[in-house]
């Protein structure tokens, strides 16, 4: 059984600015899908949990200077960030579906550099706060948590629209290792089976190609 929470989408916009030399600079939104998967085996529950983070990463960019191929990225925002958890009897492609009596799902996104606080604009249902993370101390984090007490073999959390915008400016060069737009994500999830439960915390650097 899937549990989903949907929020009305926001409009996609295009901005036009002017650089310091009074030359017209067109700022454009680009959109690329991201996909991250984690597989965890719960020994006490004897079940495999397959968790996926999916959505699109949108970024506002413009060319560094006329004739240059290098881009400047000014903002990164999440579009329809979803989290799902499928339950199986064993890990691997041959694992048959298994059931739980409930699940807790939590996804968190924060700056990929993970050393300074980045200004974040949040719309419901995401929340923003200074939250301890396992690798980065106390920084501003965009997060969403969902609890389900229903029996099922599949659980999901879906957030429509663009619930989080990260305001940061950085250069992206068209060469290997410097052509990515990235955020860092945490997936925290708990599986419940009767009176027993098991929890996991995973993290990943989530990137899309800027070119």
């Amino acid at each position: 059984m899937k549990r989903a929470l949907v929020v009305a989408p926001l409009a996609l916009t295009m901005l036009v600015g002017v650089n310091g030399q009074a030359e017209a600079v067109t700022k454009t939104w680009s959109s690329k899908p991201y996909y991250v998967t984690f597989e965890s085996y719960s020994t006490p529950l004897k079940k495999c949990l397959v968790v996926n983070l999916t959505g699109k990463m949108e970024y506002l960019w413009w060319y560094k200077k006329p004739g240059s191929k290098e881009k400047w990225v000014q903002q990164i925002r999440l579009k329809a960030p979803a989290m799902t958890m499928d339950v199986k009897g064993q890990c691997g492609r041959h694992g048959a579906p298994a059931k739980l009596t409930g699940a807790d799902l939590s996804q968190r996104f924060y700056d990929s550099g993970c050393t300074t606080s980045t200004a974040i604009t949040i719309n419901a249902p995401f929340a923003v706060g200074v939250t301890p993370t396992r690798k980065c101390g106390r920084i501003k984090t965009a997060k969403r948590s969902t609890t389900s007490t229903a029996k099922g073999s599949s659980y999901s959390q879906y957030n429509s629209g663009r619930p989080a915008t990260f305001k940061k400016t950085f250069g992206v060069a068209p060469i290997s290792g410097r052509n990515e737009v990235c955020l860092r994500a945490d997936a925290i999830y708990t599986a419940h089976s009767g009176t027993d439960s098991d929890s996991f915390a995973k993290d990943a650097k989530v990137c899309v190609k800027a070119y």
Side-chain angles (χ1 to χ4, degrees), residues 10 19 24 49-50 91-92 107 131 135 146-147 151 158 170 173:
L10 301 179
N19 66 11
L49 310 176
V50 182
C91 293
Q107 55 177 320
T131 304
K135 287 195 171 185
T146 301
T147 297
K151 294 181 180 179
Y158 176 68
F170 57 96

Side-chain angles (χ1 to χ4, degrees), residues 43-189:
T43 300
L45 302 183
K46 295 182 173 58
K47 291 178 174 62
C48 180
L49 310 176
V50 182
V51 172
N52 295 313
L53 300 182
T54 59
K56 288 186 176 181
M57 196 181 301
E58 298 178 338
Y59 53 98
L60 182 65
W61 65 272
W62 69 98
Y63 286 111
K64 186 173 182 179
K65 59 183 178 180
S68 171
K69 292 184 178 180
E70 184 171 354
K71 295 177 180 178
W72 279 108
V73 173
Q74 186 179 42
Q75 295 184 30
I76 305 173
R77 64 187 184 190
L78 299 173
K79 181 180 179 182
M83 180 177 184
T84 63
M85 183 170 74
D86 294 317
V87 188
K88 302 190 295 184
Q90 62 182 19
C91 293
R93 65 175 63 184
H94 301 299
K99 288 190 175 183
L100 297 173
T101 57
D104 304 324
L105 304 179
S106 178
Q107 55 177 320
R108 301 177 181 180
F109 287 87
Y110 42 99
D111 178 69
S112 62
C114 218
T115 56
T116 60
S117 296
T118 299
I120 304 173
T121 301
I122 301 295
N123 296 292
F126 267 64
V128 64
V130 181
T131 304
T133 61
R134 294 185 299 115
K135 287 195 171 185
C136 307
R138 295 175 63 82
I139 63 171
K140 287 185 178 181
T141 307
K143 63 180 180 177
R144 173 63 178 153
S145 299
T146 301
T147 297
S148 174
T149 57
K151 294 181 180 179
S153 59
S154 183
Y155 298 85
S156 69
Q157 175 198 105
Y158 176 68
N159 304 276
S160 68
R162 297 168 179 85
T165 299
F166 296 75
K167 296 182 179 179
K168 182 181 180 182
T169 301
F170 57 96
V172 183
I175 58 176
S176 178
R178 290 189 60 197
N179 63 349
E180 293 182 322
V181 178
C182 301
L183 294 173
R184 183 163 288 277
D186 280 349
I188 303 169
Y189 44 101

Side-chain angles (χ1 to χ4, degrees), residues 1-71:
M1 178 182 297
K2 292 187 176 182
R3 300 281 173 172
L5 181 60
V6 179
V7 178
L10 301 179
L12 184 67
T13 61
M14 180 178 291
L15 302 180
V16 177
V18 179
N19 66 11
Q21 299 177 345
E23 296 175 334
V25 175
T26 300
K27 297 183 178 181
T28 307
W29 285 103
S30 287
S31 179
K32 301 283 183 67
Y34 66 84
Y35 178 88
V36 181
T37 185
F38 304 107
E39 191 173 74
S40 306
Y41 184 76
S42 171
T43 300
L45 302 183
K46 295 182 173 58
K47 291 178 174 62
C48 180
L49 310 176
V50 182
V51 172
N52 295 313
L53 300 182
T54 59
K56 288 186 176 181
M57 196 181 301
E58 298 178 338
Y59 53 98
L60 182 65
W61 65 272
W62 69 98
Y63 286 111
K64 186 173 182 179
K65 59 183 178 180
S68 171
K69 292 184 178 180
E70 184 171 354
K71 295 177 180 178

